[in-house]
């Protein structure tokens, strides 16, 4: 936790959880592990930003990047922000190109390929498609090849980075205050952690043995995403000239110039599906216990019916499992060692834990959609880690 300023406000948590998400993406996405304290924050020679700095900058400035990213003016005619955008795009492009070149080299030489990361999987599949096209005599110049162009490959890797970064970090940054405000839920999760790990650290634990047992940790994630998920809605346009859509007993025709938006938050808060306490954060609502085996499992409503945290159907989030493993590992590691408590920030006039709780509740409630759902003033409250 970043405690350099002596406090651990929700803004500090956000920074650290973003850094954590970048490290996970870099290792599991690109196969490169880095030292947590410095690694991804170092700026190599010839670049203006570190890997984490460039990704963060592009994400936080997504609109100016879209507007000015392709603007080609002489250096002296562009203003500082525009130059920074061009620098970050160039840096990030180079980081991805270096990563792809490395993976291609290890894949082709047979030394180190088959790594369990997204970039390796994508590049290996792509190289295999290239080999198949070559063998089947498919001409490179004619028709659409079965493999991705470099631009498409980078586009996909960029999409995974962007889509996988703010979403998981954002969900974790809501889980922390919600856990701190609900000590009973922490105790319930800790019961599970003690049963699974005992005094062993979750850090060294075996994924296949232990992940399926961490139902309560996963319930915390589902419940956090139900109420505070990163995306409040998703819009769709119909295919072709339009499509008909059944709404209740009506048949509506959606023309090709219309968009239909699904209100995730509305569905997730509806008492018809979630009961009278639909607005309360209660992770236990996700867990069912088998009466014979006494084993607990996640009781997830049928996809697309009442829960759309990762969306549903053919466009369901491809990073769903990835984000679950990252979230569960983070919660398990923290709660196995620490209790989370509202932070009394005397510099903001808080006198005791009661004030800290109120500030935390207000800070969480004052959220808005900024690329993903975020607290508007995360510096106004905090969460502290207290050793168990
Ligand atoms: C808490 C974590 C996450 C949540 C709640 C989440 C949720 C979503 C949602 C709602 C969509 C929209 C699907 C649609 O268009 O219907 C989406 C798309 C996507 N997500 Fe995630 N996501 C999370 C984490 C991740 C991670 C970690 C990755 C990558 C490692 C990822 C990769 C993607 C990609 C590439 C898409 C675009 C898919 C497409 O356009 O077809 N997501 N995600």
């Amino acid at each position: 936790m970043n405690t350099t300023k002596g406090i651990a406000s929700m803004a500090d948590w956000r920074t650290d959880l973003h850094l954590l998400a970048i490290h996970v993406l870099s290792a599991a996405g690109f196969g490169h592990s880095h030292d947590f304290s410095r690694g991804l924050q170092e700026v190599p020679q010839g670049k203006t930003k570190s890997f984490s700095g460039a990704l963060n900058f592009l994400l936080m400035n997504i609109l100016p990047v879209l507007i000015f990213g392709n603007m080609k003016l002489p250096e002296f005619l562009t203003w500082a922000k525009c130059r920074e955008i061009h620098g970050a795009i160039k840096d990030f492009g180079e980081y991805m190109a270096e990563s792809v070149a490395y993976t291609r080299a290890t894949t082709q030489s047979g030394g180190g390929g088959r790594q369990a990361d997204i970039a390796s999987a994508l590049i290996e599949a792509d190289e295999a498609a290239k080999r198949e096209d070559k063998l089947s005599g498919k001409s490179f110049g004619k028709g659409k090849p079965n493999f991705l162009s470099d631009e498409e490959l980078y586009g996909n890797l960029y999409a995974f980075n962007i889509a996988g970064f703010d979403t998981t970090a954002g969900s974790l940054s809501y889980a922390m205050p919600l856990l701190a405000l609900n000590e009973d839920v922490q105790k319930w999760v800790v019961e599970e952690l003690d049963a699974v790990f005992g005094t062993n650290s979750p850090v060294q634990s075996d994924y296949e043995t232990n992940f399926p047992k961490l139902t309560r940790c996963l319930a915390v994630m589902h419940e956090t995403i139900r109420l505070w998920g990163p995306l409040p809605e998703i819009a769709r346009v119909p295919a072709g000239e339009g499509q008909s859509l059944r709404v209740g007993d009506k048949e509506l025709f959606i023309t090709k110039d219309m968009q239909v938006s699904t209100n995730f938050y509305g569905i997730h808060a509806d008492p018809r599906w979630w009961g009278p306490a639909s607005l309360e954060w209660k992770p236990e609502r996700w867990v069912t216990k088998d009466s014979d085996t006494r084993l607990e499992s996640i009781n997830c409503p049928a996809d697309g019916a009442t829960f759309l945290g990762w969306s549903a159907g053919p466009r369901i989030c491809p990073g769903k499992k990835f984000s679950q493993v990252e979230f569960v590992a983070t919660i398990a590691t923290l709660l196995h060692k620490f209790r989370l408590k509202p932070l009394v920030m005397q510099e903001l006039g808080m006198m005791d834990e009661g004030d800290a709780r109120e500030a935390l509740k207000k800070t969480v409630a004052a959220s808005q959609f900024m690329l993903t759902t975020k607290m508007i003033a995360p510096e106004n409250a905090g969460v502290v880690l207290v050793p168990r």
Side-chain angles (χ1 to χ4, degrees):
M1 202 41 230
N2 177 358
T3 49
T4 47
K5 284 180 272 166
I7 59 168
S9 73
M10 292 326 300
D12 295 322
W13 276 96
R14 186 148 92 192
T15 308
D16 281 8
L17 290 168
H18 273 123
L19 190 59
L20 173 77
I22 291 191
H23 273 270
V24 174
L25 275 169
S26 174
F30 287 101
H32 300 308
S33 299
H34 297 266
D35 171 62
F36 193 76
S37 54
R38 287 171 292 110
L40 290 172
Q41 296 172 89
E42 274 166 6
V43 183
Q45 244 190 343
K47 302 234 181 359
T48 57
K49 290 194 189 301
S50 63
F51 178 83
S52 111
L55 179 57
N56 214 348
F57 179 86
L58 292 177
L59 190 75
M60 297 305 158
N61 293 280
I62 201 135
L63 268 183
V65 167
L66 289 175
I67 298 167
F68 303 114
N70 284 325
M71 192 182 265
K72 289 199 172 41
L73 286 175
E75 275 283 297
F76 65 92
L77 276 181
T78 51
W79 77 103
K81 182 76 177 181
C82 209
R83 282 200 295 276
E84 196 179 1
I85 289 173
H86 288 162
I89 292 175
K90 180 172 162 285
D91 283 350
F92 198 72
E94 284 173 10
Y95 283 121
M96 287 205 291
E98 285 157 19
S99 229
V100 168
Y102 170 82
T103 309
R104 274 196 179 130
T106 51
T107 306
Q108 281 160 2
S109 67
R114 301 238 149 266
Q115 294 178 66
D117 60 77
I118 301 170
S120 301
L122 201 59
I123 293 163
E124 276 177 26
D126 205 42
E127 294 298 321
K130 271 185 200 167
R131 285 193 295 275
E132 249 172 53
D133 270 13
K134 218 171 185 176
L135 277 177
S136 66
K138 187 165 182 172
S139 160
F140 273 43
K142 286 182 202 152
K144 176 119 182 77
N146 286 324
F147 57 88
L148 302 174
S149 68
D150 274 5
E151 214 167 61
E152 288 166 331
L153 184 66
Y154 293 156
N156 274 287
L157 291 175
Y158 182 64
F160 265 90
N161 270 289
I162 293 289
F165 168 63
D166 211 22
T167 44
T168 319
S171 311
L172 278 165
S173 71
Y174 278 93
M176 299 304 162
L178 292 166
L179 282 164
L181 289 167
N182 291 280
E183 214 164 307
D184 51 328
V185 177
Q186 289 192 59
K187 280 191 191 134
W188 177 72
V189 174
V190 167
E191 235 174 61
E192 172 175 89
L193 296 175
D194 286 348
V196 174
F197 300 109
T199 50
N200 300 327
S201 162
V203 177
Q204 305 299 340
S205 79
D206 176 56
Y207 160 77
E208 278 176 34
T209 316
N210 293 319
F211 179 77
K213 296 181 190 159
L214 298 173
T215 308
R216 295 182 183 183
C217 295
L218 195 53
V220 168
M221 181 177 201
H222 279 75
E223 184 68 346
T224 305
I225 286 173
R226 183 178 72 84
L227 292 174
W228 298 101
L231 302 175
E233 48 116 27
I234 282 281
R236 289 275 189 269
V237 288
E241 288 304 302
Q243 277 174 282
S244 57
L245 180 70
R246 187 155 191 84
V247 181
D249 55 0
K250 286 199 189 105
E251 194 79 23
L252 304 177
F253 189 74
I254 312 297
T255 58
K256 65 178 180 189
D257 48 4
M258 286 169 82
Q259 282 195 7
V260 177
S261 177
T262 309
N263 180 352
F264 292 177
Y265 284 177
I267 294 171
H268 292 173
D270 194 323
R272 280 178 295 172
W273 333 123
W274 299 99
S278 64
L279 291 175
E280 282 171 39
W281 186 77
K282 289 183 171 297
E284 33 330 336
R285 72 168 83 235
W286 290 89
V287 175
T288 46
K289 203 176 209 166
D290 185 292
S291 52
D292 295 332
T293 62
R294 315 289 298 152
L295 286 178
E296 291 182 343
S297 59
I298 291 283
N299 176 24
C300 197
D303 260 356
T306 55
F307 180 66
L308 283 154
W310 286 273
S311 191
R315 293 287 294 277
I316 191 168
C317 170
K320 180 176 173 183
K321 187 64 181 276
F322 187 112
S323 66
Q324 291 182 343
V325 176
E326 180 175 340
F327 189 104
V328 166
T330 308
I331 296 290
T333 309
L334 278 180
L335 288 191
H336 192 248
K337 244 179 138 177
F338 300 101
R339 285 277 167 283
L340 302 177
K341 287 179 130 230
L343 175 71
V344 182
M345 296 167 80
Q346 283 164 344
E347 63 279 26
L348 296 184
M350 298 175 205
M351 306 296 286
D352 53 24
E353 205 178 306
D355 289 349
R357 285 182 71 82
E358 284 315 304
L360 202 50
K361 278 189 203 162
K362 272 193 198 149
T363 301
V364 170
S367 292
Q368 72 178 33
F369 182 67
M370 296 176 274
L371 194 63
T372 58
T373 299
K374 292 185 177 70
M375 293 166 221
I376 298 169
E379 63 286 356
N380 285 349
V383 168
V384 67
L385 296 170
V386 182
R388 273 177 77 190

